[in-house]
């Protein structure tokens, strides 16, 4: 049972959290202006890298806050967590 | 017509709860008015209007009049009162926070409060709570929203000795949690019921 | 039968007390402190079982969990299969029998209790041998929160099996003092009979404590029998010791063949002489201790057979002094005996070649091929192992953060070294945790270690028996041999993982504790590559078997899955309701009267709601309070229709879609104030929709000044439904004008009842005149009873979810998640009217513009009426259509869709159904077919609204 550090509550067991997929995928400013393909990319397509990945997580069983994390998808290690209003870190 | 009768979800548990030993006392604390407060920032006016400094340290609570103010999130608190009616508390808090861009919602019946006291309470809670409740870490004034057994709960440390805890649980799950606690406490009863 | 093989003295058993047990139906005796294995050996019994595939006799081959031979089935006090005789503590009344590798589960429920406890520690020490005790003392003396777990019944580890001395006195005196000292530290948790069986991420270790097993029938019923400790440690010290490894030779599986160290354990810990005449076969110095100790205890040691060309000069001298023959440069090539070994076949051995041999009589053949550090927990934590050529064993090959290995688990085999290493490792852990060490941290003095002669790494003795390795057992539990490994390698397998799966070695009860490294060694030999290159198979939890009952813990019976109940639950129970599970909620499905089945009850309840008045507990509906100046903005973005135009005091139905345009929930919205809405969701959607709203509000539009709060349990919802509902509600709430004019459909009004706030809403999920009553659940029972009282003269009828479903289906109202499946748009449901064309955007809007969404052949919600007016179509049934010639198309028959809801209607006096059908709306009036129990039932396609399509009834 991994620990995930909620930016507010600190480390809690992973079962208290839910996963929200790739971070920094904003809702398009004007969906109507997008082609079907562009829209499909927003709706269905997400990156799936091996290694560091910026993800969204939510502390569902705790403070219910969404936050972002850089996690290594190969080792599962959380390298850092950051709040939604923090800028996207540069992923080396 | 007669006054409307109140009932709470754990009335059927009262005799079983009373049979517990002093090392694990469970007291049901029903009919407490509670309001969920949302406020982006906590300006001084808020403290003045609410009569309490809303705690800004995550996972803490402070006394607030006859009740408590519990940190729920960076912009969310639970305010409780044992003397006001739910609608009175909501109205008072709304009047205080709406002008500041906040909101307040009566959630008095969403949860029911239990108070767990005694030397074995920490052992009972440890059977279903994954966070560290050692008094060094979770002393009086600490709070946590977490899971106890399979129920979401709010835990409040009410003493520095780790022998007095408040537990708020969803009303619909109160029966489950009461059963869970009674079962967890069984090994500490000197004359276990069958 | 008497204890023929009990040593006259010694052992840590309580000789003053005798306990009686039965094995294979035979009554035997032993003493508290015995294991089943030691008691059997004390009775002269080695053979325990027969092997799983070959049926060969097998016996006790080790003294603890690494034993591959002694599998038993417990019958009393409670049936339990697949335990090792070596790990079952003896108690009065124990009944067991040997197992041929497969057990039998109890056919009665297990009445024992099991539980789990979370524990947090600065330092977790696994193993209470010398290294572990030293580490625990160092950490405890510094004031750290220490957890010390050890799988044996008492602390001491290897010291329990020997004659070591510390500070010039028996080492067990120091063990006792250390245990007492630890007990005096308030922040130390010391657990014996507790096996750390899994090491996971972030310092998380699972340990199984056997709390009452050793008490037998005297075990208190209110205490858990076994407990899973869920330990979260900032730092872990693994002091798990080492397992002795056998050498493989022909017929090495006979009862009476045992690891040398195990014989020492049986002698010193249990006071048992495992044989009368012993041969000791070794590749290293450690087995000489067994030879000498057994000799001193009166066992005739026929020979020590040392595979090393020069043996061990120092140990040879000790043996010769004792009169024990030592054969250096020799090996055991095979054995004789049926039920038990009678002879060891001993032959000279040089440069890998075996010479001509002779038989030496023995009833005990002790074997030692060296020691494998118990690196399981380290490896489970993803620690990399390295192969040590000199030891012929795998050792921790890297430093891990927060987990250190010490003592013989780290390859330190002398007592002084173990003590010092345990202290050192604990000190380093304290340093990493910034816990200052204690000023005084004295450990006892062990004798100066003697450097042993170099061991020989020997995996197997060449098979000279002619059996070509087919009786040279590597994994006794799997009956897997050197021949099996050769076959695997011959079949082209190179990876040790593949060899494991091909041969099944290491997959049995013992998970390869004795066979794993042997397999690596033999495979490497056969492949002609270094052992380092074959490596080991992956170590996975659990280290030793754990019962499912222990893993389930207290999550059984009532506590298996929490039940959520409404404030009226007790009333429903008293009224005889039959309940339905809706997620975790218990909802009344129907209220049968005497003699009624569900169909009759539901027809009665439906009729009451359509012709008189019914009342439902609708409290499980999800409710979300949406507040803030931008509340309407958020709702406009999330609902397909416009919510900002809703007037305060009014109610609007709305649909929510995902970004893909598919319906995710529906419900009504009450505007409570300019800046406040009450959003109602389906019962199943309550948590999901709150999360959905929070997700958008927090992550996408944080600038919106709006907050969402669950109030699902803040309000009970009591729909009062039917033509007489106005009379009932008007009676109970006299301050409210309930006339259609003053209180129109889709509006709400606040009132009070004896000073308690109540909200009434004209919402109908049945098409009938209806009022929903909202009140704080504290008053739910009182208000419910007032409604029943007021409705008595109208025959008010409580109804359940089944009737609710029939009533809504008759009106064509879909249930999201039943009539939809995540591929259905509002248009498919015939709800284009609920999709705003004015709003510039809302979630899902862009997807509606995709061409696929305007395909006329999309599945659409329609009604179905079975032509026979009899058949209730099973929900989920497929729908097919005939060709023009009135016959089915050839297989595969195209499916048009499926039945989503199906009921018998009191109102229609016939069964009906809702269905998703390809191009459904264009098929209205057509007849299609539904296969039911092998016949094709003709059904007419209709619009989904079958009752009161004009909506004439909603105002009564
Ligand atoms: Zn949190």
């Amino acid at each position: 049972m991994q620990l995930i550090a909620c930016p507010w509550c600190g480390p809690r067991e992973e079962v208290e959290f839910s996963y929200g997929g790739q971070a920094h995928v904003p809702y398009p400013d004007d969906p109507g202006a997008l082609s079907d393909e562009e829209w499909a990319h927003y709706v269905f397509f997400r990156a799936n890298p091996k290694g560091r990945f910026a993800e969204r997580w939510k502390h569902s069983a705790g403070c219910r806050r969404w936050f972002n994390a850089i996690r290594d998808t190969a080792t599962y290690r959380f390298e850092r967590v950051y709040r939604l209003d923090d800028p996207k870190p540069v992923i080396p | 017509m007669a006054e409307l009768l109140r009932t709470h979800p754990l009335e059927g548990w009262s005799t079983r709860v009373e049979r517990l030993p002093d090392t694990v006392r469970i007291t049901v604390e029903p009919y407490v008015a509670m309001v969920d407060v949302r406020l982006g920032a906590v300006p001084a006016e808020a403290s003045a209007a609410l009569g309490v400094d809303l705690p800004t340290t995550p996972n803490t609570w402070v006394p607030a009049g006859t009740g408590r103010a519990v940190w729920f999130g960076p912009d969310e608190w639970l305010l409780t009162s044992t003397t006001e009616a739910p609608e009175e508390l909501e109205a008072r808090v709304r009047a205080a926070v709406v002008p500041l861009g906040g909101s307040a919602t009566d959630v008095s019946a969403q949860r029911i409060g239990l108070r767990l006291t005694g030397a074995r309470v920490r052992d009972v809670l440890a059977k279903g709570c994954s966070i560290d409740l050692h008094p060094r870490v979770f002393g009086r004034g600490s709070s946590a929203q977490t899971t106890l057994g399979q129920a979401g709960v709010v835990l409040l440390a009410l003493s520095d000795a780790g022998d007095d805890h408040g537990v708020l649980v969803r009303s619909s799950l109160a029966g489950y949690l009461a059963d869970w606690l009674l079962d967890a406490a069984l090994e500490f009863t000197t004359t276990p019921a069958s | 039968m008497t204890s023929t093989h009990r040593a006259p003295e010694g052992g840590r058993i309580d000789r003053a007390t005798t306990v009686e047990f039965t094995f294979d139906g035979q009554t035997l005796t032993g003493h508290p402190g015995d294991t089943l294995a030691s008691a059997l050996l004390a009775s002269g019994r080695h053979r325990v079982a027969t092997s799983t595939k070959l049926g060969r006799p097998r016996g006790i081959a080790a003294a603890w969990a690494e034993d591959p031979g002694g599998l038993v089935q417990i019958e009393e006090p409670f049936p339990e299969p697949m335990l090792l005789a070596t790990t079952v503590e003896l108690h009065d009344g124990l009944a067991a029998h040997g197992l041929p590798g497969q057990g039998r589960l109890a056919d009665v429920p297990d009445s024992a209790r099991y539980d789990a406890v979370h524990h947090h520690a600065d330092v977790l020490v696994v193993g209470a041998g010398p290294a572990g005790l030293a580490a625990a003392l160092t950490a405890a003396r510094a004031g750290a929160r220490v957890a010390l777990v050890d799988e044996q019944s008492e602390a001491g580890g290897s010291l329990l099996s020997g004659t070591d001395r510390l500070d010039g006195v028996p080492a067990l005196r120091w063990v006792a003092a250390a245990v007492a000292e630890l007990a005096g530290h308030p922040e130390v948790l010391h657990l014996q009979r507790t096996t750390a069986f899994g090491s996971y991420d972030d310092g998380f270790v699972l340990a199984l404590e056997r709390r009452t097993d050793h008490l037998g029938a005297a075990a208190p019923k209110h205490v858990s029998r076994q407990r899973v400790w869920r330990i979260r440690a900032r730092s872990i010290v693994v002091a798990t010791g080492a397992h002795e490894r056998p050498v493989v030779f022909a017929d090495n599986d006979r009862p009476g063949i045992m690891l040398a160290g195990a014989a020492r354990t049986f002698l010193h810990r249990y006071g048992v002489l495992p044989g009368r005449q012993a041969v000791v076969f070794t590749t290293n110095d450690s087995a000489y201790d067994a030879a000498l100790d057994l000799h001193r205890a009166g066992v005739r040691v026929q020979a020590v057979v040392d595979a090393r060309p020069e043996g061990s000069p120092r140990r040879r001298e000790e043996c010769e002094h004792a009169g024990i023959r030592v054969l250096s440069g020799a090996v055991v090539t095979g054995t004789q005996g049926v039920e038990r070994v009678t002879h060891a076949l001993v032959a000279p051995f040089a440069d890998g070649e075996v010479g001509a041999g002779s038989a030496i009589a023995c009833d005990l053949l002790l074997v030692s091929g060296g020691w494998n550090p118990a690196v399981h927990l380290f490896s489970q934590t993803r620690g990399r192992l390295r192969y040590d050529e000199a030891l012929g064993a795998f050792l921790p090959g890297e430093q891990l953060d927060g987990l250190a290995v010490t003592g013989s688990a780290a390859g330190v085999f002398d007592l002084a070294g173990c003590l010092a290493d345990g202290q050192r490792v604990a000190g380093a852990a304290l340093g990493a945790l910034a816990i200052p060490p204690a000023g005084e941290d004295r450990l006892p003095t062990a004798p100066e270690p003697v450097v042993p002669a170099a061991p020989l790494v020997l995996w197997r003795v060449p098979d000279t028996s002619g059996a070509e390795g087919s009786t040279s057992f590597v994994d006794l539990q799997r009956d897997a041999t050197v021949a099996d490994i050769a076959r695997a390698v011959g079949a082209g397998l190179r990876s040790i993982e593949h060899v494991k799966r091909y041969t099944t070695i290491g997959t049995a009860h013992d998970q390869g504790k004795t066979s794993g490294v042997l397999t690596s060694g033999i495979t490497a030999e056969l492949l002609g590559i270094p052992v380092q290159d074959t490596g080991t198979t992956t170590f996975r939890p659990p280290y030793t078997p754990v019962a499912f009952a222990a893993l389930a813990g207290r999550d059984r019976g009532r506590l298996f899955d929490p039940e959520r109940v409404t404030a009226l639950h007790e009333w429903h129970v008293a009224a005889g309701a039959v309940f339905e599970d809706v997620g975790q909620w218990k909802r009344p499905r129907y209220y049968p009267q005497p003699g009624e089945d569900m169909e009759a009850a539901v027809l009665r309840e439906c009729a009451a709601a359509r012709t008189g008045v019914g009342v439902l507990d609708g409290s499980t509906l999800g409710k979300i309070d949406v507040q803030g100046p931008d509340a309407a903005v958020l709702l406009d973005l999330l609902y397909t229709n416009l919510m900002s135009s809703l007037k305060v005091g009014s109610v609007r139905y709305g649909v929510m879609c995902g970004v893909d345009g598919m319906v995710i929930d529906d419900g009504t919205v009450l505007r409570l104030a300019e800046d406040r809405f009450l959003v109602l969701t389906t019962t199943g959607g309550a948590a999901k929709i709150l999360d959905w709203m929070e997700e958008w509000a927090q992550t996408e539009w944080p600038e919106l000044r709006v907050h969402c709060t669950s109030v699902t349990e803040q309000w009970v919802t009591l729909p009062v439904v039917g033509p007489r509902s106005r009379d009932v509600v008007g009676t109970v709430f006299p301050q409210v004008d309930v006339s259609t004019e003053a209180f129109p459909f889709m509006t709400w009004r606040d009132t009070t009842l004896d000073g308690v706030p109540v909200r009434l809403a004209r919402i109908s999920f049945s098409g009938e005149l209806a009022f929903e009553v909202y009140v704080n659940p504290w008053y739910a029972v009182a208000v419910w009873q007032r409604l029943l009282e007021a409705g008595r003269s109208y025959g008010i009828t409580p109804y359940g979810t089944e009737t609710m479903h029939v009533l809504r289906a008759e009106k064509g109202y879909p249930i999201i998640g039943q009539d939809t499946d995540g591929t259905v748009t509002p248009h498919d449901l015939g709800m284009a009217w609920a999709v705003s064309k004015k709003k510039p955007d809302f979630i899902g809007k862009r997807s509606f513009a995709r061409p696929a969404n305007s395909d006329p052949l999309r599945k659409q919600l329609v009604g179905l009426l079975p032509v026979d007016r009899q058949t209730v179509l099973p929900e989920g049934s497929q729908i097919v259509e005939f060709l023009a010639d009135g016959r089915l198309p050839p297989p595969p028959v195209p499916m048009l869709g499926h039945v989503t809801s199906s009921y018998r209607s009191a109102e229609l006096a016939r069964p009906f159904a809702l269905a998703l059908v390809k191009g459904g709306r264009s098929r209205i009036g057509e007849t299609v077919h539904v296969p039911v129990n092998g016949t094709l039932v003709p059904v007419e396609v209709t619009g989904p609204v079958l009752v009161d399509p004009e909506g004439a009834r909603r105002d009564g």
Side-chain angles (χ1 to χ4, degrees), chain A residues 6-10 12 17 59 62-65 67, chain B residues 59 71:
Chain A
C6 169
W8 306 102
C9 305
R12 296 283 185 94
F17 297 82
H59 190 191
C63 66
R64 300 193 300 128
R65 263 59 199 177
F67 58 92
Chain B
N59 298 300
W71 185 94

Side-chain angles (χ1 to χ4, degrees), chain B residues 1-9 13 30-34 36 38-40 75-76 86-87 90 94 98 101-111 122-134 136-137 149-151 170-173 175-176 179-190 192, chain C residues 113 115-122 143-145 187 211 221-224 227 232 554-555 558-567 570 584-585 625 627-629 673 675-676 690 694 698 705-715 731-732 753-758 775-783 786:
Chain B
M1 256 189 208
E3 197 178 317
L4 274 188
L5 277 181
R6 293 193 299 194
T7 54
H8 70 73
W13 274 259
Y31 313 128
V32 174
M34 302 187 217
D36 189 286
R38 305 294 292 266
L39 202 54
D75 66 346
E76 185 175 7
E87 63 274 18
E90 187 195 77
R94 259 178 76 79
V98 166
S103 63
T105 305
D106 178 12
V107 290
S108 307
Q110 279 283 102
R111 301 176 183 84
R122 211 148 59 81
D123 296 318
V124 168
L125 293 175
K127 291 189 182 186
C129 176
S130 67
I131 68 170
D132 191 357
L133 298 178
H134 192 287
R136 283 187 202 172
V137 184
Q150 297 180 61
R170 282 291 190 105
S171 301
S172 61
L173 286 167
Y176 161 79
D179 283 343
W180 189 95
L181 286 167
L182 287 164
D183 185 75
L186 186 64
E187 72 172 304
F188 305 117
T189 57
T190 41
Chain C
R113 296 173 60 80
D115 66 4
V117 172
H118 295 265
H119 188 77
H120 296 258
D122 295 320
R145 292 167 67 186
E187 296 301 340
R211 304 181 78 203
K221 294 281 175 264
H222 65 301
V223 171
S224 59
R227 167 172 289 175
R232 182 73 66 175
R554 299 195 299 121
D555 291 341
R558 277 178 68 77
L559 302 181
F560 173 66
D561 189 24
E563 288 177 4
R564 298 179 70 182
V565 299
T566 74
E570 295 307 319
Q584 290 182 324
W585 287 104
D625 183 88
Q627 265 190 67
D675 64 347
R676 193 172 191 185
L690 177 66
E694 278 286 347
Q698 282 187 40
R705 295 159 301 163
V706 55
H707 296 116
C708 306
T709 306
S710 171
V711 286
T712 296
E713 296 177 44
Q714 177 58 27
W715 300 96
T731 304
V732 176
L753 185 60
D754 297 351
V756 173
V758 173
V775 68
N776 180 320
W778 300 350
Y779 305 98
V781 172
V783 170
R786 296 265 179 109

Side-chain angles (χ1 to χ4, degrees), chain B residues 66-88:
Chain B
T66 62
R68 302 183 184 116
V70 186
W71 185 94
F72 262 19
D75 66 346
E76 185 175 7
W77 294 264
L78 187 75
L79 268 184
T80 72
S81 165
T82 57
T83 45
E84 287 161 286
E87 63 274 18
E88 291 167 359

Side-chain angles (χ1 to χ4, degrees), chain C residues 317-597:
Chain C
E317 198 175 309
E318 287 179 68
C319 284
E320 284 170 353
H321 191 72
I324 300 171
R325 181 165 55 136
V326 177
L327 304 169
S328 299
V331 291
V332 171
T333 59
T335 63
Q336 293 170 355
V338 180
E339 291 291 297
R340 180 162 178 176
V341 64
T342 59
H343 292 82
L345 307 178
V346 176
F349 178 68
D351 302 323
E353 297 291 325
V354 176
S358 57
I360 302 178
C362 62
D363 63 356
L364 179 67
L365 171 55
L366 302 184
V367 183
S368 177
W371 293 81
N372 295 328
V375 292
H376 300 68
L377 297 179
F378 173 82
S379 179
Q380 287 172 15
T381 321
R382 305 231 155 196
R384 197 169 38 78
L385 300 174
R386 69 172 176 86
Y387 179 69
D388 185 296
E389 293 277 354
L391 288 175
F394 288 89
L395 288 172
E398 64 177 325
Q399 296 281 337
L400 294 182
D401 284 344
L403 185 144
V405 185
T406 183
S408 57
V412 179
F413 290 108
D414 70 284
L415 179 52
C418 283
L419 291 170
D421 197 51
Q423 188 178 42
R424 178 189 65 79
V425 160
L430 293 173
L433 300 176
I435 298 174
E440 177 80 2
D441 185 23
R442 190 195 169 267
L443 288 176
T445 308
E448 195 62 29
V450 179
V451 179
L456 173 74
V457 177
L458 179 66
W459 310 114
R460 56 173 176 146
V461 173
D463 188 357
T464 54
S465 73
E468 294 178 356
S470 65
T471 63
S472 301
F473 290 91
V474 179
D475 185 335
L476 272 65
Q477 289 193 353
R478 283 291 187 220
D479 272 340
T481 62
V482 171
D484 293 320
I485 299 178
R487 196 171 300 120
V489 170
L493 304 182
R494 294 293 178 270
S495 156
I496 195 69
E497 297 286 359
H498 292 162
V499 170
K500 168 180 176 172
R501 281 150 186 82
Y502 190 92
T503 60
T504 73
I505 290 173
T507 61
H509 183 278
D510 69 351
Q511 291 285 293
K513 287 186 182 61
T514 53
S515 59
V517 178
L518 281 178
T519 307
S520 294
I522 294 169
T523 302
E525 234 170 56
L526 293 172
L527 289 171
I529 59 172
V531 179
Q532 175 71 48
D533 292 358
T534 58
T536 63
T537 55
T538 308
F539 289 86
R540 292 196 181 85
Y543 169 69
T544 47
V546 179
F548 280 114
L551 295 174
R554 299 195 299 121
D555 291 341
R556 300 199 303 183
R558 277 178 68 77
L559 302 181
F560 173 66
D561 189 24
E563 288 177 4
R564 298 179 70 182
V565 299
T566 74
L568 292 170
H569 188 72
E570 295 307 319
W571 189 94
H572 301 316
V573 170
V578 173
F579 288 89
E580 176 184 29
D581 290 336
V582 183
Q584 290 182 324
W585 287 104
K586 287 281 173 199
R587 297 197 68 181
R589 189 173 188 189
Y590 57 98
Y591 300 84
Q593 291 190 348
E596 277 185 339
D597 60 6

